[in-house]
Amino acid sequence: MYLRSLIIYACICISINSLCAQQSFLDSIRIAFNLEMDPARKIDLFYEIASDRALDNPTLGFAYADSIDIMARKAGYQKGLAMAKHLRGFAFDDLGEYEKALDLFQEELQIFIDINDRDEQSTALTNIGSAWNNMGRMDSAVTYFLKSMAIDEELGDSFGVSILHNNIGNIYSDDGIYDKAIAHFEKALSIRQQQGMEKRYAQCYSNLATTYGRMKEYAKAEEYGKKALEYALKFENLGLAGVIANSLGNNCNDQGKFREAITWLDQALGYWKEINHEAYQTYALYNLSNAYYGLGDGIKALRYAQEGYAIIQKLSLENQHELYYKAFAQAYEASGDISHAYEWYKKYIALADSIFKQDNARKVAQLELRFETQKKEAQLVRQQLELEKQASQKRMILIIAIAGLLTFAVAFQYFRIKQRSRQQQAELIAQLKQTETEKLREMDAIKSTFFANISHEFRTPLTLILSPVEQMMNNTFKGDYTKYYQIIHRNGKRLLNLVNQLLDLSKLESGKVKLQVSEGNLGSFVSAIAGSFESLAVRQQVGLHIKVSSDPIICYFDREKLEQILVNLISNAFKFTGEGGTVYVDAIVSDGKATITVEDTGIGIPQDQLQHLFERFTKSTMSEVQAGSGIGLALAKELAQLHGGNIDVTSKEGEGSKFSVTLEVGKAFFKADEISVSPVTSGGAENTHREYSLTSSKASKSLMSDVLSRPAQPTLLIAEDNRDVRAYIADTFAGLYEIIEAENGRIALEKALESTPDIIITDVMMPEMNGTELCRLLKSNEKTSHIPVVMLTARAEKSDKLEGLETGADDYLIKPFEAKELQVRVANLIEQRRRLQEHFRKSLTSFTPAPAEVESMDAQFLLRVRETVEANLENEDFSVVDLSKQIGMSRSQLHRKLSALTGFSPNEIIRNMRLERAKQLLELKVGTVSEISYRCGFNSPAYFIKCFREYFGTTPGEIT
């Protein structure tokens, strides 16, 4: 029943997506409705608007139906009365009141019979059939569909015939009569192929895929499903695309192909989220929870179950509770949360038991009905045929005995299932309790080991930092200050690296770390990372051999994750390789998998330690000098597994070690949201080390150089009270930006109002006015609210970061920061501002109704500009001076503000809006070219034609 509802609703999504793609068409209908004088035609136009608006809102359906009914009665327009009944019927249908919907559709049919409209009679018959189908009366539904089909065939409506074949096929598919279902679906597809209705292929292929999936013929189901998805996406039918992808994912789950299932289900969820259809999303979320449960990932299984359950509670989708109770139980069980798993299993069993009771009650009622019927028949026979009295009595006894036996069998089966369920429940509780106890013991041991090891790891660098500092403070230090400054700095970085690794592991565990792969030259990347250790190799007198193919190895990988893995393995190789040893690094790619090997001739690893090597805080006992944090290899392995691979190690004590990293690098392995568009790098260490975000010279241009190569360089305002830091930031951006400096927030605010910079970098802690207050004032001032703000601070607490972001800061960077990272973040913000300009330009030149609520101050400002210009479009004397006066800014401030927000000067905005209005009027044919030019503020038709051709690339005469 759930799947049938989903398939039927998918048919509606075809029209939904089509209507969404034709919003401008609906706007033109509204304009035509306002201009139309004929009452009947006016009702027809109003019905088209109502059909669109009421599609997902039954309340609006009733309201529009009432309006059309009043208009139709006043005009004596019978077809309008039928339209009103049609809208009310579908509103009741959406609310699940199918009997009321059926009555209204029958009344609609009678009207069309009275006015002899055969085409609309077919539509009304189809609506009646759908209502019977929703009420579970499949025989009646098929009867009305066949009546509708006869009319469509008489009228030559091939598409209507194909729709009815699909409807009948769905009924047979739901009832398990698969051969008849497939015959109807293939007939529908054949009709559409003969007529060349390529846009309509998707629904037929989807129906065939669903039916073959029910028949467990998964190969055919997948074949038809992929065809259906191809056509659905080709014609932007996202609702149906989601149904198809969900069905493919469900089939993969049934076959135990859980990773393939996740790929399909993520697609389905994405399509339905894009059209904001929450009810649909519950199917994909439930199937995703099942898939991750199949993989043993309880955390993700629980997350998807919770998301789906929130929707079914919000929308009161009662028929899905049983599914989600089971999903929660499975997810908690896989997560090791025994108590919650037990509670959800109890809910699931109780609900399943209730459904079982209802089914048995229906069976008993049917038996009793049959019994009463047979009894009455026996009495009639006894009255009519006295001679057969004894035979009738025997037959009655036999019927009673059979009924009793059947009732007993049903009751016995019920109590047997009940007993078995209780036994299974008891066994499950015992197993869960035992597992819970073992998990608690393991967690306790892990916690103890964790705190002991991490305390030791912090103690060593802290000792090397605190002891020299205390001596320096007490004036008792007698060593080389420079040497110990280096020791303090090195151990501080060691502590920072340890904290970062711990945070990375925590993010991996919580699922917050996501892959961001892009296409690149893996060989060049590995060579560059390994090549950065050449100076260390020379210093330690260790040979470094890098073996990578000279030909480009183009594939997909996450540069940041892979760099962490390689740096960890190569640095370990040098750490455990003495003078005269050798470190080898090589990389190959085959069949969508990359294998990167790091081998050394060092001290090796004892065999008894190999099995624990990738456990957290496991350290080699070979040498205290080479001891590490104990979490680097654990982090590297988890990053490799996130990348679809693993790390293997072979080692022989005294001869060296070999670490082999395998990674998935084929594009097909990654999800769509894990792939970022990035150009292929051609190789070299220089390119690779710039891959923090600028992966090549071409990528650099797209993020920074495009923005910075404009005729006038962007202006950067730096607010920093520390002169050295301010000079350092200025040097970082020298040659790329025009630099303005301010030593505190107050001066920075004055200079921002005076010069309107393109971007501002500010410290948080400053005298006279801090960065937080500066950001708040900038974002609340209409003249400066559009300027991106990057905040720098030494305060690393999350609450501090949130405070900065809440004031409107666009980015937040913690000191110490990397200059390259700051450059990239600034360039990204300017690029984002450029993209926002495109959006704001469209909003100014579009004459669609303004949104009810405008959130940002910039959007409010542009709305005022748009309304002011619109109000003066016919005034040919309206100028920038007039616009600046009405907006309340000076001409220079208005020019800087509009140029920053849209890339257009005020003059260009006024001219473009006049031209857009002129085009709209020309398309509506409300006047001649000369009349429209004067109405839009042009004092010369010749000048209007010249501007029109330059702006649209065509003449006004070609539009009309």
Side-chain angles (χ1 to χ4, degrees):
M1 186 65 182
Y2 305 146
L3 186 57
R4 178 170 66 246
S5 300
L6 187 60
I7 293 169
I8 292 171
Y9 200 88
C11 298
I12 300 174
C13 283
I14 298 172
S15 59
I16 293 175
N17 287 340
S18 177
L19 288 172
C20 290
Q22 298 176 356
Q23 185 62 44
S24 60
F25 173 70
L26 287 176
D27 291 337
S28 67
I29 291 177
R30 291 187 180 96
I31 294 171
F33 171 81
N34 292 328
L35 298 174
E36 183 62 53
M37 301 303 295
D38 178 57
R41 179 56 184 157
K42 201 173 185 71
I43 292 172
D44 291 342
L45 291 169
F46 188 75
Y47 173 75
E48 289 189 51
I49 298 171
S51 297
D52 173 68
R53 294 296 312 282
L55 194 60
D56 286 319
N57 192 328
T59 303
L60 283 178
F62 290 123
Y64 278 115
D66 291 339
S67 298
I68 290 176
D69 189 77
I70 293 169
M71 294 166 66
R73 291 183 187 279
K74 184 177 180 180
Y77 187 43
Q78 290 295 308
K79 189 175 180 179
L81 296 175
M83 291 175 181
K85 295 184 183 298
H86 181 88
L87 284 173
R88 286 197 190 95
F90 270 108
F92 279 120
D93 189 86
D94 286 342
L95 295 172
E97 297 184 34
Y98 303 121
E99 292 181 357
K100 292 182 180 179
L102 179 62
D103 292 338
L104 287 162
F105 291 147
Q106 288 173 336
E107 292 173 14
E108 176 193 13
L109 174 62
Q110 188 57 51
I111 292 174
F112 288 130
I113 291 172
D114 293 339
I115 64 176
N116 196 29
D117 189 334
R118 297 286 286 168
D119 186 41
E120 294 298 341
Q121 286 175 34
S122 173
T123 303
L125 287 167
T126 302
N127 295 340
I128 294 171
S130 297
W132 281 120
N133 184 39
N134 290 333
M135 294 165 66
R137 290 286 302 276
M138 308 307 177
D139 52 343
S140 298
V142 171
T143 299
Y144 278 93
F145 287 151
L146 290 173
K147 288 181 180 180
S148 178
M149 188 184 295
I151 295 176
D152 285 345
E153 288 174 344
E154 174 189 335
L155 298 174
D157 183 0
S158 300
F159 177 61
V161 173
S162 71
I163 289 175
L164 291 161
H165 275 298
N166 271 336
N167 289 345
I168 296 170
N170 282 327
I171 291 174
Y172 283 128
S173 181
D174 289 342
D175 282 348
I177 309 173
Y178 300 124
D179 55 340
K180 289 189 176 182
I182 290 172
H184 279 283
F185 293 146
E186 289 178 341
K187 182 64 176 176
L189 179 60
S190 175
I191 292 171
R192 296 180 183 189
Q193 288 175 334
Q194 289 172 8
Q195 298 297 321
M197 293 181 281
E198 189 179 14
K199 188 175 182 180
R200 309 297 182 178
Y201 292 174
Q203 187 63 58
C204 298
Y205 283 127
S206 175
N207 292 336
L208 286 166
T210 299
T211 303
Y212 279 116
R214 290 172 171 175
M215 297 168 68
K216 308 300 182 186
E217 293 186 23
Y218 295 116
K220 285 189 175 180
E222 183 177 2
E223 175 188 352
Y224 283 113
K226 288 181 177 178
K227 286 183 179 180
L229 186 59
E230 176 187 350
Y231 283 105
L233 293 177
K234 181 177 180 179
F235 295 99
E236 299 181 348
N237 188 349
L238 297 184
L240 181 57
V243 173
I244 298 162
N246 182 72
S247 180
L248 288 167
N250 194 33
N251 288 344
C252 289
N253 270 346
D254 290 343
Q255 300 173 76
K257 299 178 180 179
F258 301 115
R259 292 200 180 277
E260 292 182 30
I262 290 169
T263 301
W264 288 116
L265 296 170
D266 279 342
Q267 288 185 41
L269 189 60
Y271 297 145
W272 288 333
K273 283 187 175 180
E274 189 168 339
I275 62 174
N276 197 29
H277 202 301
E278 291 184 311
Y280 267 28
Q281 293 170 29
T282 59
Y283 294 96
L285 292 167
Y286 169 75
N287 287 329
L288 278 167
S289 180
N290 274 346
Y292 280 110
Y293 171 73
L295 292 173
D297 190 340
I299 293 175
K300 289 186 178 179
L302 180 59
R303 189 183 75 195
Y304 285 112
Q306 289 171 334
E307 187 177 350
Y309 190 67
I311 295 174
I312 68 172
Q313 287 185 310
K314 173 184 174 183
L315 302 180
S316 300
L317 304 176
E318 298 295 333
N319 58 354
Q320 296 197 53
H321 279 83
E322 182 184 5
L323 299 177
Y324 274 85
Y325 287 172
K326 183 179 179 181
F328 274 116
Q330 291 177 161
Y332 279 119
E333 181 183 357
S335 301
D337 190 340
I338 310 307
S339 60
H340 280 93
Y342 170 58
E343 291 299 324
W344 285 102
Y345 267 122
K346 285 200 299 185
K347 290 183 179 181
Y348 167 67
I349 291 169
L351 185 57
D353 186 38
S354 172
I355 294 171
F356 179 79
K357 285 180 180 179
Q358 293 173 8
D359 289 340
N360 280 309
R362 282 194 294 270
K363 291 178 182 177
V364 172
Q366 291 171 358
L367 288 172
E368 289 176 352
L369 179 61
R370 289 175 59 190
F371 170 77
E372 292 298 326
T373 302
Q374 294 290 345
K375 183 177 179 180
K376 290 177 181 178
E377 290 176 355
Q379 288 174 349
L380 181 62
V381 170
R382 190 166 54 249
Q383 292 171 1
Q384 294 177 347
L385 303 171
E386 191 67 30
L387 295 175
E388 296 180 8
K389 181 177 180 180
Q390 292 182 349
S392 297
Q393 288 176 345
K394 290 180 180 179
R395 192 160 49 248
M396 180 60 68
I397 293 171
L398 180 60
I399 292 170
I400 294 173
I402 291 173
L405 286 172
L406 287 174
T407 303
F408 175 76
V410 170
F412 175 77
Q413 188 67 17
Y414 167 74
F415 286 112
R416 183 180 177 186
I417 292 174
K418 186 82 170 177
Q419 183 64 28
R420 187 179 300 166
S421 174
R422 288 175 180 170
Q423 183 179 352
Q424 290 175 347
Q425 182 177 329
E427 291 174 356
L428 176 62
I429 292 171
Q431 291 174 0
L432 292 176
K433 287 183 177 179
Q434 182 180 355
T435 304
E436 181 181 14
T437 303
E438 291 174 357
K439 290 284 185 183
L440 288 173
R441 274 200 292 269
E442 290 177 9
M443 289 176 63
D444 187 57
I446 290 171
K447 285 179 182 178
S448 298
T449 304
F450 170 82
F451 286 115
N453 286 325
I454 197 64
S455 298
H456 176 76
E457 292 302 327
F458 278 125
R459 187 177 293 112
T460 301
L462 283 172
T463 300
L464 293 172
I465 293 171
L466 293 175
S467 295
V469 170
E470 288 173 353
Q471 290 181 3
M472 292 174 186
M473 292 171 63
N474 297 330
N475 295 321
T476 59
F477 185 77
K478 298 180 180 179
D480 183 347
Y481 277 84
T482 301
K483 175 183 177 182
Y484 276 89
Y485 285 149
Q486 293 173 350
I487 292 174
I488 291 169
H489 180 262
R490 185 165 59 250
N491 282 276
K493 293 190 70 174
R494 181 178 172 187
L495 275 176
L496 180 61
N497 183 54
L498 179 60
V499 171
N500 288 337
Q501 288 182 337
L502 285 170
L503 291 174
D504 287 341
L505 281 172
S506 175
K507 289 177 182 177
L508 279 167
E509 282 186 343
S510 62
K512 293 181 180 178
V513 176
K514 303 293 183 184
L515 286 175
Q516 284 297 308
V517 303
S518 58
E519 192 176 23
N521 187 343
L522 181 67
S524 298
F525 183 82
V526 173
S527 296
I529 296 298
S532 65
F533 286 85
E534 287 180 350
S535 60
L536 177 63
V538 173
R539 192 163 60 249
Q540 293 187 190
Q541 294 298 301
V542 173
L544 174 61
H545 295 279
I546 304 170
K547 183 181 178 183
V548 177
S549 173
S550 58
D551 296 328
I553 305 176
I554 306 302
C555 53
Y556 284 81
F557 57 96
D558 187 316
R559 289 159 171 75
E560 183 181 350
K561 310 295 187 300
L562 182 54
E563 182 175 356
Q564 285 182 271
I565 295 169
L566 290 177
V567 168
N568 188 286
L569 295 180
I570 297 174
S571 61
N572 276 352
F574 277 98
K575 186 185 298 184
F576 292 98
T577 302
E579 184 177 330
T582 307
V583 174
Y584 303 89
V585 180
D586 64 71
I588 58 172
V589 173
S590 177
D591 297 329
K593 291 183 180 291
T595 302
I596 304 170
T597 304
V598 179
E599 186 175 2
D600 64 69
T601 59
I603 61 177
I605 304 169
Q607 291 299 311
D608 60 339
Q609 294 185 17
L610 282 176
Q611 59 181 335
H612 303 294
L613 194 61
F614 295 102
E615 295 176 4
R616 298 177 190 182
F617 304 107
T618 298
K619 299 186 296 180
S620 170
T621 57
M622 295 295 293
S623 170
E624 185 63 29
V625 174
Q626 289 105 342
S629 68
I631 61 174
L633 287 176
L635 176 61
K637 182 158 188 173
E638 293 200 32
L639 288 173
Q641 290 172 343
L642 180 67
H643 214 296
N646 204 355
I647 300 180
D648 298 311
V649 59
T650 57
S651 182
K652 190 171 182 180
E653 198 169 353
E655 296 184 7
S657 304
K658 180 179 179 180
F659 288 81
S660 297
V661 183
T662 58
L663 304 172
E664 292 283 352
V665 292
K667 185 177 182 180
F669 173 79
F670 303 102
K671 300 176 184 176
D673 61 351
E674 293 176 340
I675 300 176
S676 60
V677 179
S678 177
V680 180
T681 58
S682 59
E686 181 181 354
N687 259 355
T688 306
H689 281 289
R690 292 172 61 188
E691 286 196 11
Y692 179 83
S693 179
L694 310 176
T695 56
S696 70
S697 60
K698 186 176 178 182
S700 175
K701 185 175 182 181
S702 68
L703 286 177
M704 185 179 289
S705 299
D706 266 358
V707 178
L708 304 182
S709 61
R710 295 180 297 182
Q713 288 183 327
T715 303
L716 168 64
L717 172 60
I718 303 171
E720 169 63 65
D721 60 322
N722 187 298
R723 183 175 57 187
D724 294 334
V725 175
R726 191 168 66 249
Y728 172 67
I729 298 173
D731 290 340
T732 299
F733 292 94
L736 302 174
Y737 294 81
E738 291 182 9
I739 307 296
I740 301 174
E741 296 184 27
E743 56 265 34
N744 59 53
R746 180 185 58 77
I747 296 174
L749 181 62
E750 293 173 358
K751 292 188 176 182
L753 291 170
E754 176 185 348
S755 60
T756 317
D758 294 284
I759 192 164
I760 296 173
I761 298 175
T762 178
D763 189 14
V764 172
M765 303 300 293
M766 293 185 295
E768 295 193 35
M769 180 187 293
N770 62 34
T772 302
E773 180 65 12
L774 170 63
C775 184
R776 186 186 65 79
L777 292 174
L778 288 169
K779 293 297 182 180
S780 61
N781 191 318
E782 189 174 69
K783 299 173 184 177
T784 57
S785 60
H786 65 281
I787 303 173
V789 177
V790 179
M791 300 187 76
L792 305 176
T793 183
R795 295 158 61 185
E797 293 295 328
K798 184 176 181 179
S799 59
D800 299 325
K801 184 174 181 179
L802 288 175
E803 180 185 357
L805 294 174
E806 285 171 356
T807 62
D810 298 89
D811 211 340
Y812 195 96
L813 207 57
I814 297 172
K815 296 179 180 179
F817 56 87
E818 293 185 18
K820 188 179 297 182
E821 181 180 4
L822 182 59
Q823 281 182 323
V824 172
R825 293 200 183 200
V826 167
N828 285 339
L829 286 173
I830 290 185
E831 174 64 10
Q832 290 172 14
R833 179 58 58 180
R834 184 188 65 76
R835 293 175 183 170
L836 193 58
Q837 283 181 346
E838 296 177 1
H839 168 72
F840 282 148
R841 282 200 294 267
K842 292 178 182 177
S843 70
L844 274 177
T845 56
S846 170
F847 287 89
T848 56
E853 294 182 5
V854 181
E855 296 178 357
S856 70
M857 180 173 289
D858 292 338
Q860 292 174 0
F861 167 77
L862 289 174
L863 181 59
R864 285 203 297 125
V865 171
R866 170 181 159 179
E867 291 174 346
T868 302
V869 176
E870 280 186 8
N872 292 276
L873 280 179
E874 297 185 13
N875 181 5
E876 64 183 31
D877 296 324
F878 183 75
S879 65
V880 176
V881 176
D882 299 318
L883 178 60
S884 62
K885 287 180 180 179
Q886 293 188 37
I887 294 300
M889 288 186 180
S890 67
R891 287 187 62 185
S892 59
Q893 287 176 332
L894 180 64
H895 185 278
R896 287 196 296 268
K897 180 78 174 180
L898 286 176
S899 296
L901 285 177
T902 68
F904 287 155
S905 67
N907 265 324
E908 289 173 318
I909 287 172
I910 295 172
R911 187 198 65 180
N912 294 346
M913 289 185 68
R914 292 184 193 276
L915 291 170
E916 289 286 348
R917 172 64 81 183
K919 182 183 178 185
Q920 186 182 64
L921 295 175
L922 286 168
E923 290 174 341
L924 293 174
K925 298 180 174 57
V926 297
T928 66
V929 173
S930 296
E931 290 171 348
I932 290 173
S933 69
Y934 290 120
R935 285 182 62 178
C936 294
F938 289 89
N939 55 16
S940 166
Y943 178 69
F944 164 70
I945 293 170
K946 175 180 178 295
C947 294
F948 195 96
R949 184 188 296 112
E950 290 175 352
Y951 187 75
F952 291 109
T954 184
T955 64
E958 292 172 345
I959 297 294
T960 59

